[in-house]
Amino acid sequence: MKMLINSPQTVVADALRGLAAAHPDLEVDVEARVVVRKGAREGGRVGLVSGGGSGHEPLHAGFVGPGMLSAACPGEVFTSPVPDQVLRAAKAVDSGQGVLFVVKNYTGDVLNFDMAAELAEEDGVRVQRVLVDDDVAVTDSLYTAGRRGTGATLFVEKIAGAAAEEGAPLEQVAAVAERVNKASRSFGVALSACTTPAKGSPTFDLPDGELELGIGIHGEPGRERRPMMTAREIAEFAVGAVLDDLASVAPADGPVLALVNGMGATPLLELYGFHAAVAQVLADRGVPVARSLVGNYVTSLDMAGCSVTLCRAEEEFLRLWDAPVQTPALRWGR
């Protein structure tokens, strides 16, 4: 496989050096693998820290900046960050108001962030945690017990980040993050498998003319394989799965935040066409779309495909969503 890298061993460090060169408003510690917003302790704000394996860019380092994350901890490709990374990040952003950990529900992430929280508390840093588990495709997987954390991570980080930027206390920031997670559901589809730099070959076999429904963001195969479908057929399946699971979240006919997320190798031409299908399916089902976001945000290296994330849009969610944000991957209102 051809990749634009120097070597599999240096791919994460090289990417972090590039991030630092492109975004001097971030403090990037390549050796410690921590990305911090400059002035993170200023203003007495609650700190927001997230992280996970690399390969999902721009998640998480691309969401560090005013109005979103205070710091991110990138692990090796598809590998959780270690507790020392997370602890270093927590200390770097704590202004005395506490730190919220945003953790995707994968076993390694959960264990390492929990250990870092214990260490931080011992050092006098107050920590709360929100667990993101929005994927409706599977209950358990190779990487996790319970549902996987996927596209809703962006919603949680943006909305909680805006609350922190406004000066909300830790308990309030954590509470809104929990509410966003509980109101969000996702479903992913792959047209091709991804290729990790270390392996150099696809993570699973997907023959021509077939697609995988219900995939994860670490190259996990889905829950069902079918012959290739049209964008409208895929939208019907994915949106249906999400809305069926969201039925228990009131109000059932309320507006939603909608994310059509590319998995890394799908061009925007296709993503916008797919979004048109998603919007039409939602309209046919009587679900208003309050805000939409289309693009590559929570990826899986070079996987072709997409995911759909919907969040029941409370008025407070929309206000915080619209609040200014300035990060490498998400920016408006400034």
Side-chain angles (χ1 to χ4, degrees):
M1 300 294 292
K2 294 179 181 178
M3 293 185 176
L4 199 64
I5 64 173
N6 293 313
S7 74
Q9 292 73 31
T10 65
V11 64
V12 175
D14 290 343
L16 289 174
R17 279 190 282 270
L19 181 72
H23 299 283
D25 51 329
L26 299 178
E27 296 177 355
V28 181
D29 189 326
V30 176
E31 297 304 318
R33 305 290 169 89
V34 175
V35 179
V36 179
R37 165 187 174 177
K38 281 190 176 177
R41 292 178 177 170
E42 296 173 3
R45 294 179 298 267
V46 168
L48 257 71
V49 174
S50 192
S54 296
H56 307 304
E57 290 72 22
L59 189 79
H60 294 272
F63 298 142
V64 175
M68 215 160 174
L69 292 178
S70 308
C73 308
E76 293 300 319
V77 173
F78 293 174
T79 303
S80 303
V82 298
D84 283 351
Q85 279 178 270
V86 183
L87 176 62
R88 184 185 293 265
K91 288 183 173 181
V93 305
D94 180 38
S95 66
Q97 303 304 311
V99 176
L100 179 67
F101 287 172
V102 179
V103 187
K104 302 188 303 302
N105 188 32
Y106 297 96
T107 302
D109 290 12
V110 172
L111 291 174
N112 288 349
F113 272 86
D114 281 354
M115 187 176 297
E118 293 177 7
L119 295 171
E121 294 279 1
E122 290 175 3
D123 287 346
V125 179
R126 194 160 51 101
V127 174
Q128 289 197 31
R129 185 199 76 171
V130 59
L131 189 68
V132 182
D133 57 353
D134 55 304
D135 184 12
V136 303
V138 294
T139 301
D140 297 293
S141 73
L142 177 66
Y143 291 86
T144 187
R147 290 181 167 176
R148 301 175 294 209
T150 57
T153 312
L154 185 154
F155 289 160
V156 171
E157 291 177 354
K158 171 63 183 80
I159 292 171
E165 196 74 29
E166 289 183 348
L170 178 59
E171 292 74 17
Q172 188 175 327
V173 176
V176 75
E178 291 279 5
R179 282 169 33 220
V180 172
N181 178 62
K182 289 178 179 178
S184 302
R185 303 289 189 277
S186 297
F187 191 92
V189 179
L191 309 183
S192 72
C194 66
T195 301
T196 62
K199 189 170 186 281
S201 61
T203 53
F204 60 89
D205 177 52
L206 185 56
D208 290 342
E210 295 186 359
L211 79 167
E212 196 87 15
L213 297 168
I215 50 87
I217 60 173
H218 296 94
E220 310 101 308
R223 70 181 187 187
E224 184 179 347
R225 186 169 291 185
R226 290 190 181 185
M228 189 58 195
M229 302 155 65
T230 66
R232 172 67 189 215
E233 290 168 339
I234 296 170
E236 289 275 8
F237 192 100
V239 172
V242 169
L243 289 181
D244 287 349
D245 209 280
L246 268 181
S248 60
V249 180
D253 58 349
V256 295
L257 282 165
L259 168 64
V260 167
N261 170 66
M263 301 307 294
T266 302
L268 280 171
L269 179 71
E270 295 177 34
L271 290 178
Y272 275 111
F274 182 69
H275 178 65
V278 168
Q280 187 60 58
V281 172
L282 290 169
D284 291 346
R285 292 177 176 240
V287 180
V289 177
R291 303 287 188 277
S292 297
L293 186 65
V294 179
N296 291 290
Y297 295 102
V298 183
T299 63
S300 184
L301 291 168
D302 61 344
M303 179 182 283
C306 62
S307 62
V308 176
T309 304
L310 302 178
C311 174
R312 293 287 185 205
E314 298 180 21
E315 286 189 13
E316 184 181 13
F317 293 177
L318 293 179
R319 181 182 66 78
L320 294 170
W321 178 259
D322 290 340
V325 59
Q326 187 171 349
T327 71
L330 209 68
R331 55 179 61 210
W332 57 68
R334 292 180 69 92

